[in-house]
């Protein structure tokens, strides 16, 4: 339930409503809006009696939140959540491009790619240090050494960095080194990891589970917000379908649906959706046309010898074309918002 205060509500009136909510045994969460303050009522087991709060002074209206997810819903927070990390702004009419290799392989590899993607227009660098691989015999990532390389990339290029956090054991180290922590598709419903992410002091990029509905995905995000971390960026990276012409099927319709249901930004990962580089440019343009809040693209200077996901990694020259075209698409329409 959401208690919307009058524009003219005084701090005392707001405080009084918060006290009344807490006296009933619920949690009150103040949501500062553009103009007026709202108070979310959380931790209620059953329905909350609207009349309890309707008559309090300074209260404009009391709105039931009908969705199972509360804090991530637009009913709860009508304004977009805008997340700023380094030069990247997610939402508010921006279209940040994140790029880098699937995995960090060496200092030289990371710096070569980071410099190329930065020159082309990327504002954030990606690179896996802990890799969730289907086979236990495949390259598992450089671990802590990979994190240190990411920190070096930030130092040398000024780009903020994002990398995947796979488990609780390595969470602290990833949180220390990365600017955005990625939770991968295979871990979208790893509830211990989500709870820990709720305590993190860095933004979380939550990828959609490869067979997750949008409701399940938003409920996973709810875990992070419920834990206290409101900085969540959703990432659609393709879902499993019957087709074999691409690795996954990019669900473009997730963009308008998520933006209607939630105030959180949503970006697209065309690389893991396609699984092959000859579709990445088209899917990236589509993401911009559908008003996503950014994209994350895999790029490698030597994809034939990449330790992972070489087939879907763009050459730096292709990435440069992508940046130009995507910007052109993005700038070609009026941004309507959700
Ligand atoms: C990745 O971004 O490198 C990755 C493993 O992605 P996903 O979790 O979407 O497969
Ligand atoms: Mn990859």
């Amino acid at each position: 339930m959401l208690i919307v205060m009058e524009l003219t509500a005084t701090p005392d009136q707001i405080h009084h409503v918060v006290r009344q909510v807490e006296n009933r045994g619920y949690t009150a969460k103040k949501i500062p809006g553009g103009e007026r303050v709202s108070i979310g009522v959380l931790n209620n087991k059953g329905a909350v009696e609207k009349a309890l709060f309707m008559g309090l002074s300074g209260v404009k209206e009391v709105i039931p939140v009908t969705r199972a997810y509360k804090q991530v819903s637009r009913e709860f927070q009508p304004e977009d959540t805008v997340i700023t990390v380094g030069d990247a702004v997610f939402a508010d009419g921006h279209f940040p491009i994140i790029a880098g290799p699937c995995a960090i392989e060496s200092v030289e590899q990371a710096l070569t790619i980071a410099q190329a993607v930065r020159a082309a227009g990327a504002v954030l660098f990606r690179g896996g240090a802990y890799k969730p691989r289907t086979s236990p015999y495949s390259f598992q990532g450089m671990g802590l050494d990979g994190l240190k390389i990411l920190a070096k990339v930030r130092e040398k290029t000024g780009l903020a960095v994002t990398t995947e956090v796979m488990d609780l054991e390595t969470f602290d180290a990833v949180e220390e080194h990365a600017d955005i922590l990625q939770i991968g598709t295979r871990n979208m419903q790893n509830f211990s990891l989500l709870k820990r992410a709720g305590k993190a002091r860095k933004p979380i990029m939550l990828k959609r589970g490869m067979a997750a509905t949008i409701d399940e995905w938003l409920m996973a995000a709810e875990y992070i917000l419920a834990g206290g971390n409101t900085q969540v960026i959703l990432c659609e990276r393709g879902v499993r379908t019957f087709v074999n012409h691409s690795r996954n099927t990019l669900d473009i319709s997730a963009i308008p649906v998520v933006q209607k249901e939630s105030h959180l930004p949503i970006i697209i990962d065309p690389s893991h959706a396609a699984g092959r580089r000859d579709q990445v440019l088209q899917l990236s343009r589509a993401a911009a046309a559908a008003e996503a809040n950014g994209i994350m693209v895999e790029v490698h200077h030597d994809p034939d010898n990449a330790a992972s996901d070489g087939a879907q990694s763009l050459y730096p020259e292709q990435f440069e074309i992508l940046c130009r075209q995507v910007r052109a698409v993005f700038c070609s329409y009026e941004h309507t918002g959700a």
Side-chain angles (χ1 to χ4, degrees):
M1 177 172 287
L2 194 65
I3 304 171
V4 183
M5 301 301 291
E6 296 279 7
L7 273 177
T8 53
T10 63
D12 273 355
Q13 287 172 331
I14 295 168
H15 184 66
H16 182 67
V17 173
V18 168
R19 289 273 305 279
Q20 291 302 306
V21 171
E22 289 172 351
N23 286 346
R24 306 264 161 198
Y26 309 133
T27 303
K29 180 159 192 258
K30 249 197 276 176
I31 308 157
E35 299 200 309
R36 58 177 94 240
V37 169
S38 301
I39 297 157
V41 181
L42 296 165
N43 290 338
N44 48 303
K45 297 285 176 272
V48 180
E49 186 68 56
K50 223 172 141 172
L52 288 176
F53 308 107
M54 222 23 246
L56 299 178
S57 52
V59 171
K60 178 169 188 285
E61 55 182 332
V62 178
I63 306 170
V65 176
T66 54
R67 301 292 193 263
Y69 37 86
K70 305 286 177 204
Q71 301 195 51
V72 307
S73 75
R74 266 217 196 268
E75 288 178 332
F76 199 86
Q77 181 186 312
E79 289 91 9
D80 287 346
T81 288
V82 180
I83 299 176
T84 304
V85 180
D87 291 337
V89 181
F90 298 89
D92 200 24
H94 296 263
F95 196 85
I97 300 178
I98 306 172
C102 181
I104 299 296
E105 297 163 15
S106 68
V107 182
E108 298 69 35
Q109 174 250 18
L111 279 174
T112 304
I113 300 170
Q115 271 145 7
V117 298
R118 190 182 65 156
V123 288
L124 233 138
F125 181 72
R126 64 147 289 148
Y130 298 94
K131 294 302 304 173
R133 302 306 300 278
T134 302
S135 164
Y137 307 117
S138 300
F139 175 62
Q140 302 285 308
M142 290 180 73
L144 187 57
D145 289 341
L147 294 179
K148 289 182 183 156
I149 294 174
L150 282 165
K152 191 167 215 126
V153 166
R154 178 176 45 228
E155 184 195 314
K156 298 263 180 219
T157 65
L159 291 172
V161 299
T162 178
T163 195
E164 178 162 353
V165 58
M166 262 178 51
D167 50 39
L168 293 177
E169 253 173 276
T170 53
F171 204 109
D172 289 355
V174 177
E175 188 178 11
E176 187 189 325
H177 290 85
D179 300 298
I180 299 178
L181 281 56
Q182 209 174 300
I183 293 188
T185 194
R186 293 158 189 83
N187 267 323
M188 188 205 83
Q189 283 188 318
N190 180 335
F191 298 113
S192 333
L193 201 60
L194 296 174
K195 284 179 186 166
R196 174 64 183 85
K199 301 283 167 237
R201 295 172 316 278
K202 302 265 173 82
I204 307 293
M205 182 200 298
L206 180 65
K207 291 191 132 192
R208 179 178 179 184
M210 64 181 82
T213 63
I214 287 181
D215 278 3
E216 289 164 340
W217 188 17
L218 292 177
M219 284 307 271
E222 185 79 14
Y223 266 86
I224 304 172
L225 271 79
N229 187 354
T230 55
Q231 303 275 288
V232 176
I233 299 159
L234 299 165
C235 178
E236 157 66 35
R237 46 77 72 202
V239 288
R240 271 282 165 88
T241 66
F242 54 87
V243 308
N244 55 16
H245 61 264
S246 57
R247 182 172 171 184
N248 292 287
T249 298
L250 181 63
D251 183 8
I252 281 281
S253 64
I255 301 166
V257 174
V258 162
Q259 287 175 344
K260 191 168 177 197
E261 291 295 321
S262 176
H263 50 82
L264 296 174
I266 171 172
I267 65 167
I268 294 292
D269 173 348
S271 306
H272 291 88
R276 41 191 288 179
R277 79 173 66 87
D278 64 354
Q279 298 173 1
V280 172
L281 177 62
Q282 294 86 339
L283 297 182
S284 300
R285 289 197 308 247
E291 297 193 51
N293 302 117
I295 49 174
M296 179 164 79
V297 181
E298 284 186 346
V299 178
H300 201 290
H301 66 300
D302 182 13
D304 289 345
N305 292 302
S308 64
D309 285 348
Q312 68 197 32
S313 298
L314 296 186
Y315 290 92
E317 310 80 72
Q318 294 177 309
F319 178 67
E320 211 221 307
I321 295 168
L322 179 148
C323 287
R324 253 187 290 129
Q325 294 193 356
V326 160
R327 296 241 167 271
V329 173
F330 186 70
C331 295
S332 70
Y333 60 85
E334 300 257 319
H335 301 282
T336 52

